[in-house]
């Protein structure tokens, strides 16, 4: 009965709330006009599942729960040769950003002429992070050193130029002022690459952190930095600025790095940066991120995770690559939520203090920040206790 009712509703174009019925969702997402066409092509086990599924009365009474496992998703997940692009699976669809926190945060950024990677990179989580989610705490990733990058990675939609505008000497103060207005207790600072500046902008980056800490000493600051062309002195400048978490993204597996990242961004160089941070500031929490869906194999992902652990990386995020514009790399595969869950478990087994793995997770995703905040507070407490024990 459920299948017949669903077919009639689709033919009349009255899907409405019935998209929560999984097989109707499948028909809708595969671009099929009639549910009966999809039903006739299903294997027998799927037909039996639909027949035994909820009926119209169940939906009216509100007794049907929607799950997020997506195990029965029938859409294509891998790009075949000659195909233009994959259809976006349902687990990657997000609502349009709204809410008071979202608009207040955006207004502050425009007033002080600041950029965010959230906007420049077209992050799908901008509504959740800026809006504050269930706990009402807004989070943004401030992008310093301008909004124009000297590199052209094929996955990134940030503007590029050989000679961007000069660094704004007032930016460190403006950045600290904006953050102090938000009343948050954890912030992420990132930047574009500035290969046109002698030190890659490391001194400017460091000054931003110092201005923030001057106004809010207890604020936890994470810095997602460029590689500074492998200049370890520049890396040390930022690492010693007073920040709490040093993040630098490896982005993808070694084989794909030359095709995904700018030629000046090298896989081994990224590992060297993360390794040097631990030498420059022993005990510093380090973090990196991997995008999935670019054509990597499971073994390559595992090897990359092992390489990151070898250089002492504490926190790891894994998320789905999403093509920002038609000019950028195509998505080769949409990785399922179940697979992301697998990598989260692997990360725990490898010894990462924290692994955030999910389709919409990004390097500065807010869920990870709250966990890392607790990790940092725990480390601070342990350090204070050790000092007290030594004094006594």
């Amino acid at each position: 009965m459920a299948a017949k009712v669903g077919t009639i509703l689709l033919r009349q174009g009255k899907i409405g709330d019935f998209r929560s019925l999984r097989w109707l969702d499948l028909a809708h997402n595969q671009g099929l006009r009639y549910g009966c066409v999809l039903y006739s092509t299903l294997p027998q086990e799927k037909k039996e599942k639909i027949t035994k599924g909820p009926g119209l009365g169940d939906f009216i009474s509100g007794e049907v729960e929607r799950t997020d496992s997506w195990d029965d998703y029938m859409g294509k997940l891998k790009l075949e040769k000659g195909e233009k692009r994959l259809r976006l699976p349902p687990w990657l669809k997000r609502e349009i950003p709204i809410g008071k926190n979202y608009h207040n945060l955006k207004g502050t950024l425009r007033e002080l002429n600041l950029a965010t990677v959230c906007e420049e990179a077209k992050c799908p989580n901008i509504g959740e992070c800026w809006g504050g989610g269930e706990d009402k705490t807004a989070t943004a990733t401030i992008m310093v050193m301008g909004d124009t990058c000297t590199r052209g990675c094929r996955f990134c939609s940030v503007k590029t130029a050989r000679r961007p505008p000069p660094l704004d000497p007032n930016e460190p103060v403006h950045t600290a002022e904006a953050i102090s207005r938000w009343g948050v207790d954890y912030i992420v600072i990132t930047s574009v690459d500035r290969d046109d500046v002698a030190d890659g902008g490391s001194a400017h980056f460091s000054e931003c952190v110092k201005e923030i800490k001057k106004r809010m000493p207890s604020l936890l600051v994470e810095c997602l930095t460029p590689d500074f062309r492998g200049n370890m002195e520049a890396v040390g400048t930022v690492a010693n600025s007073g920040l709490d978490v040093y993040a630098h993204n490896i982005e993808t597996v070694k084989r794909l790095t030359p095709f995904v990242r700018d030629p000046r961004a090298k896989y081994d160089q990224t590992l060297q940066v993360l390794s040097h941070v631990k030498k420059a500031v022993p005990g510093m929490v380090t973090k990196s991120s991997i995008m999935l869906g670019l054509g990597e194999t499971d073994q390559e992902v595992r090897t990359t995770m092992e390489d990151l652990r070898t250089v002492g990386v504490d926190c790891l995020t894994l998320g789905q690559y999403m093509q920002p514009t038609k000019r950028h790399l195509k998505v080769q595969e949409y990785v399922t939520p179940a697979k992301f869950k697998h990598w989260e478990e692997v990360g725990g087994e490898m010894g990462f203090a924290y692994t955030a793995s999910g389709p919409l997770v990004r390097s500065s995703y807010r869920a990870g920040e709250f966990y890392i905040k607790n990790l940092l507070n725990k480390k601070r407490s342990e350090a204070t206790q050790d000092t007290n024990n030594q004094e006594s």
Side-chain angles (χ1 to χ4, degrees), residues 16 216 288 348:
M216 296 157 285
S288 196

Side-chain angles (χ1 to χ4, degrees), residues 158-376:
V158 173
K159 292 185 294 185
T160 62
R162 283 194 178 91
R163 294 184 178 278
L167 298 178
D168 178 6
N170 296 317
E171 187 176 52
V173 172
H174 286 170
T175 299
E177 184 180 338
I179 294 169
S180 65
R181 291 188 192 181
W182 297 335
V184 296
D185 52 6
Y186 191 105
I187 192 71
V188 182
I189 307 294
T190 190
S191 77
V192 292
D193 280 278
R194 292 300 300 257
D195 298 306
D196 59 316
V197 180
D199 66 348
S202 61
H204 185 92
F205 206 129
S206 175
E207 193 60 30
C208 289
V209 177
K210 290 175 181 177
E211 286 292 339
I212 293 168
K213 288 288 189 175
K214 187 189 301 181
R215 289 166 174 75
M216 296 157 285
S218 62
L219 179 72
L220 296 173
V221 179
E222 174 183 327
C223 291
L224 175 58
T225 76
D227 58 25
F228 301 113
R229 301 190 301 274
N231 180 342
M232 296 308 160
E233 184 179 344
V235 173
T237 297
V238 178
N240 284 286
S241 64
L243 77 168
D244 300 283
V245 178
Y246 194 112
H248 178 54
N249 291 343
I250 201 158
E251 307 294 10
T252 187
V253 300
K254 190 169 187 176
R255 174 178 60 87
L256 296 176
T257 295
F259 309 102
V260 174
R261 303 173 72 184
D262 184 276
R264 289 163 286 186
K266 305 185 188 307
Y267 184 91
D268 291 333
Q269 184 168 271
T270 291
L271 293 175
Q272 290 165 10
V273 167
L274 291 164
S275 177
H276 183 75
V277 172
K278 289 287 190 181
K279 296 173 184 176
V281 186
M284 174 68 70
V285 174
T286 53
K287 181 179 173 186
S288 196
S289 184
I290 306 172
M291 296 180 293
L292 302 185
L294 287 161
E296 67 287 332
T297 66
D298 283 359
Q299 184 54 53
E300 287 175 322
V301 175
R302 182 179 286 272
T303 298
T304 303
M305 293 172 70
E306 290 171 348
D307 289 342
L308 291 170
R309 278 302 297 141
T310 299
V311 296
V313 170
D314 302 290
C315 304
L316 175 67
T317 62
L318 301 98
Q320 173 70 53
Y321 166 66
M322 295 174 71
Q323 183 181 12
T325 74
K326 292 181 179 179
R327 297 181 292 105
H328 293 83
L329 287 172
K330 293 180 180 179
V331 175
Q332 296 299 313
E333 178 183 6
Y334 282 123
V335 181
T336 64
K339 192 66 174 182
F340 276 108
K341 180 64 177 176
H342 164 74
W343 290 124
E344 182 177 329
E345 293 169 353
V346 171
E349 294 167 1
M350 285 187 179
F352 287 100
Y354 173 64
T355 305
S357 180
L360 287 165
V361 168
R362 294 296 179 263
S363 57
S364 55
Y365 185 57
R366 62 190 299 276
E369 290 155 16
F370 289 116
Y371 182 92
I372 295 171
K373 182 185 75 174
N374 293 332
L375 177 67
L376 290 168

Side-chain angles (χ1 to χ4, degrees), residues 11-28:
R11 283 178 173 168
Q12 292 178 346
K14 297 178 180 178
I15 299 176
D17 292 338
F18 285 78
R19 285 184 187 172
S20 58
L21 182 59
R22 186 54 48 82
W23 71 272
L24 285 181
D25 206 16
L26 294 173
H28 175 70

Side-chain angles (χ1 to χ4, degrees), residues 55-64:
L56 178 60
D58 298 316
F59 281 91
I60 293 174
S61 63
E63 296 179 358
V64 178

